[in-house]
Amino acid sequence: MEVMLWNVFLSVLLAFVSWVLREKSTEIQRLQVLLNRTREEIAKEYVTKAEVHADINRVLDRLDRLDIKLDRLMEARNAS
């Protein structure tokens, strides 16, 4: 009788642990799907390093040209 109760108790305990682990596994899979979707959305909204560097280089080139023009203007005014 004692052995039978022990077997029933262990079976119920194992069933409960299995159910909890299955629920956790399902939750982890759901979170992985959400994380993957989030990563995809972030990739759509943000720029890459290469794009940032290209944009910064364009701005710096434009500033260099403006600096040269200002230097010429100041030289022309000083020459007058």
Side-chain angles (χ1 to χ4, degrees):
M1 181 77 175
E2 230 179 82
V3 174
M4 189 171 106
L5 287 175
W6 183 246
N7 283 338
V8 169
F9 173 73
L10 287 178
S11 297
V12 169
L13 181 65
L14 183 62
F16 177 73
V17 169
S18 298
W19 178 75
V20 168
L21 289 177
R22 184 178 52 108
E23 291 296 318
K24 294 297 178 185
S25 174
T26 304
E27 181 69 14
I28 288 173
Q29 287 175 351
R30 187 183 73 80
L31 289 174
Q32 284 176 339
V33 168
L34 289 174
L35 182 61
N36 289 336
R37 286 183 185 167
T38 302
R39 286 179 180 153
E40 290 171 3
E41 292 299 317
I42 286 175
K44 290 178 186 176
E45 294 177 11
Y46 293 98
V47 296
T48 64
K49 282 186 178 181
E51 291 171 334
V52 170
H53 288 297
D55 290 344
I56 288 175
N57 286 336
R58 276 192 2 219
V59 170
L60 291 176
D61 289 341
R62 192 77 155 166
L63 287 173
D64 287 340
R65 282 189 269 155
L66 189 58
D67 187 40
I68 291 169
K69 288 180 182 180
L70 285 173
D71 286 344
R72 277 193 238 139
L73 180 64
M74 290 175 68
E75 287 174 1
R77 283 193 178 181
N78 287 339
S80 307

